[in-house]
Amino acid sequence: MPRLSAAQRHPVRFRLNGEAVEGIAEPRMLLADFIRHELGRTGTHVGCEHGVCGACTVSIDGTMARSCLTLAAQVEGCEVRTVEGLAPEPGRLSVLQAAFRRHHALQCGFCTAGILMSLDVYLRAHPAPTEPEIREVLSGHLCRCTGYAPIVRAAMDAAAELSLSTRQEDVRYV
Amino acid sequence: MGLTATMTSSARSGPWIGRSPERVEDAALLTGNGRFIDDLGVRPGTLHAAILRSPHAHADILTIDTAAARAAPGVAAVVIGPDVKALTASLVVGVKAPVECWPIAVDRVRYVGEPVAVVVASDRYKAEDALDLIEVRYAPRPSVIDPLAAIAADAPILHDGFPHNVASDRRFRYGDPEAAFAAASHRIAIDIVYPRNSCTPIETYGVVAEYSVSDDAYDILANFQGPFSIHAVISRALKLPGNRVRLRTPPDSGGSFGVKQGVFPYIVLIAAAARIAGRPVKWIEDRLEHLCASSSATNRATTLAAAVDDEGRVLALDWDQVEDCGAHLRAPEPATLYRMHGNLTGAYDIRHMSVRNRVIVTNKTPTGLNRGFGGPQVYFALERLMQRIAVELDIDPLDVIRRNLVPGNAFPYRTASGALLDSGDYAETIELGAREGGLDELKARRAAARAEGRLYGIGYTAVVEPSVSNMGYLSTVLTPAERRRAGPKNGAQATATVSIDPVGAVSVHVASVPQGQGHRTVLAQVIADVFGVAPQDVRVNTEIDTAKDAWSIASGNYSSRFAAAVAGTAKLAADRIAVRLRRIAASHLNVEASEVAFGNGKVFSRDNPDNAMPFARLAALSHWSPGSLPDAAGQTIRETVFWTPEQLAAPDDADRINSSLCHGFIFDICGVEIDRATGEVRIDRYVTAHDCGTILHPGMVDGQIRGGFGQGFGAALLEEFAYGADGSFLTGTFADYLLPTSTELPEPVIVHMQTPSPFTPLGAKGVGEGNCMSTPVCIANAVADALGEKNIVLPLVPARIRALIAGEEPPAPVGGMTAPRAKKPGGRGLEGEGSADVGAPPQAVWDMLLDPATLQAVIPGCHGVEKISDTHFRAEVTLGIGPVKGRYRAEVKLFDLDAPRAVTLSGTADGALGYGAGEGRITLTPRDDGGTTVSYTYDAEIGGKVASIGGRLLDGAARVIIGQFFAALARHAGGGAPAAGAAGGLSGWLRRLFGGAR
């Protein structure tokens, strides 16, 4: 990583949901603020700014990460995915998103983007999760509306549907 | 799957009420297209605010030096109390008293987190930079945190207008309680201390405000939830008529649970800041601000006594409630105390009652709306008491509940204090819950567990869940004479508008502000049923704009009023249009209006469905051919209905008040097992049986129940806003204020019964708050049953449970670990001791300790030491504690000098991140090798931001810093090393930070 000066703004370039993006940021700028306010992708939300609530979770090079504890400059050259990249195309929902809607797994929807990103990353690596495993993944997220049970059901249902699908990748990620 | 859910043709027809279609809100929220306040753009040139807050619970502000902050890059304005006071009027205080309440501290701070200054800058980062440059000098005053301590004769006084910190003291008497107590064979009482907690939405507060000089008007966007009676408070504070204070809400709000009512002081503050800055100003609260200083439920101390006969029947109650509203009595407080006033007898037929209600101020954050609103506090006392009656009279607790219930044939039932319980069959709901919830099986599990020596308990609660608040209930805090002077307050105007556009498309607007409750989906269902169209053909807008929309003081989303009042009002508006559409259709179809029906997108003759026309065509006629419509049919373009139920009367001269319109019923059963070794409470099963009247959307009702249960579970087992004895706020992160997560929160068994309310248009009652009322005490009753304990204090964290069962613990083996030394109760106190070996004789060490140059070299992070006198030093240091690193000014004075053997140091430190005060004793002992052993003890209190967010790390950090000090001293003296005490502390702390804990 190049040496950055605290007093200056530096260009930051990375891929966001498969698309090359670029912006200017002070070295101290948080990734969450950069994505939301510089790049205008406001689907990622900030709930606590200290890494506990999980609302700001994004995928960085395929790993779930808190964008409130990550500096924008740290993702230079990385592949970042956010909730805006989950749906296969405008007007359609991914299997996981559709399961959330079917199971009423969200109410206010503020924490939902982070939960979707964690589950998306997790289910890619663990296509046949158990309920305790899903609950363990979700324990990194705080939801005040749902009591988690419908989120667990949606995740299990989505995992089952994805594993049944013969053209899994086509349905899941475009 | 498409964004518009596909429906089979049979599923396209109504009725939609009672079904659980997918929510219209979800597609946007799931794809990152929600429109929360911080997701919306702002006008070019909008500035950003950051708020400097008090580190002290109670102090006079001596000076505020903002010069450096004003000169900082990007800063447009720095606003302090007197600036705001010059532009605004005091916020209305909820009782009649000569007391002022400002949205920012004026001359004096009264709680940790109270705003002291606002920096307005070109971006948030720069605004926060400038906060660090503001110098505030405080003169701390004694503070008082506990409500019972606050009313003691010698307590520090917060407001001169509240003598003895009492804002209100009222006594009520219903029936003949004295006679009932005198005649009863038993008097059974319980003392309750209910803690402070909050439902903490994951989205924090947000405000965007601007002031137009030319219009002399404010335009404000805020994720405020209502009640819009607060709009009157805001406009009065801004010294303008309401029509010059435009308040709008964003389309989406990230949870509220009552809490976002509390954004209103910040609306006034940011509006004033925008006026001063001459530009629009945006402020988004951060999480520390939210936990520390937004709002919370009240904590309450209650003594409740019952007059009881030998069968466990309660003949009378005697309530003594001491309500802690924090440092200011902000509107609508003391509403938390009075919201339940008609329901103080719960689900029980109790005719005699006396009540004493005191409202107290303490040096804590002002309170406000919070899901359950007064219910958790009341039912914790009442239902704990019912459990105690069972224990003391040796009756099954469920039988005590059953014997006291309001009988099923008594509805509508007027309670002693005036509530009109609308409908229900409480005994039937209890039998249903016990049967469907498997109570017999739970009892068998308890018996089996106990036979094995395990700790297992079962708790019950029976709770009446009030909804749709009477806007007049708060006036019960006034005496009847005061009420007569003020004029009656009553009712609860619900507002809905249904409109039809020129192509016959239906829109709905309601003056309710959802934060995730799915209002748009349910309203589409309700209106679709009236017009016989599909829900997806109805568009619903739930934003509020006070400049354009129909609204009233009861507008907003609180007291679970949506399903019962707002959805019903929307139906009434649609019904009015439907009546006119029938008249118009009658003339087109050549039938009587009474024969016209709506369905499948058509309007048709009931007798001959083929005689039909499309709904959209009929509905559009008012636009295209108003001159051809039948006489007196009236327009079908737009209809607004205001609905207030007649049952919501003002309090009468006997202080009887029907505080809410609807009363659902909840019966809960909880089975818990407690780990004897760790004190952990595990919920084995939780059953919650509800009768919330007619259910509009079963999926959402269950969602409300699960969510409320989760918050009740958190209140019972995890959550408390903790304060130190000095008023420091100790739970400023989600690592300190613990919320339930997916790994410990079980799913409750939900059972339903539906007894429609006769008082609401759809028969629905509120359901969202009930489990926040019933669950904390149900879990507590189960724990009480498991442990055989009377005094159950929430939250039931493992340490507290362990303390309750410690008596049963076998004695520790000789030579084993001993319990750590107890700290001072409540405080974020630090104490420690240690020693270090220094390779220099005592006199040399002594000289170094008193030499500014040496001290500067050995104090970690020291920028300079100034010697004021031989025994008084001043230093600037930078210290990092946990996540917070900051600069502090330290003053150290030396006492009891015994050269070169011992000295006592007393010091204070303060900076932007907090303050500390402490005392230490250093003893120098000569060593055989010519060196010196330096022994020390210290005792310190830490406050401010450091205590709020670094609390867990303070002990370790103090050891590290002191260890570094002596290590540097030893190096400076030319040899030696810290002895085991300090080194052990350092390595132990590092191990905890980086080792086993992960």
Side-chain angles (χ1 to χ4, degrees), chain B residues 356-371:
Chain B
R356 183 179 187 190
N357 277 347
R358 276 172 286 184
V359 179
I360 305 301
V361 290
T362 63
N363 292 109
K364 303 204 291 285
T365 300
T367 58
L369 269 62
N370 212 288
R371 193 175 191 174

Side-chain angles (χ1 to χ4, degrees), chain B residues 90-102 110 157-163 166-167 329:
Chain B
S90 165
L91 301 173
V92 173
V93 175
V95 297
K96 303 231 174 303
V99 168
E100 292 183 339
C101 176
W102 302 95
R110 292 183 174 84
I157 300 298
L158 273 80
H159 301 270
D160 292 339
F162 291 153
V166 178
L329 202 60

Side-chain angles (χ1 to χ4, degrees), chain B residues 420-498:
Chain B
L420 187 61
L421 305 181
D422 45 342
S423 66
D425 186 337
Y426 299 168
E428 178 60 29
T429 308
I430 285 178
E431 298 323 309
L432 186 72
R435 194 169 63 243
E436 308 257 317
L439 177 58
D440 289 342
E441 185 199 341
L442 272 189
K443 285 181 174 172
R445 290 157 79 98
R446 176 173 64 183
R450 288 183 173 175
E452 294 173 18
R454 292 186 281 134
L455 295 171
Y456 193 107
I458 295 177
Y460 308 97
T461 49
V463 157
V464 166
E465 177 183 359
S467 54
V468 189
S469 282
N470 184 343
M471 298 309 280
Y473 76 73
L474 182 53
S475 60
T476 318
V477 73
L478 304 176
T479 63
E482 288 171 329
R483 285 199 298 267
R484 277 191 291 275
R485 282 196 295 276
K489 302 234 174 18
N490 57 47
Q493 290 281 11
T495 313
T497 299
V498 173

Side-chain angles (χ1 to χ4, degrees), chain B residues 59 105 120 265 349 532 549 582 750 981 990:
Chain B
V120 177
D349 181 20
D549 297 329
R582 278 199 183 87
I750 301 172
L990 290 173

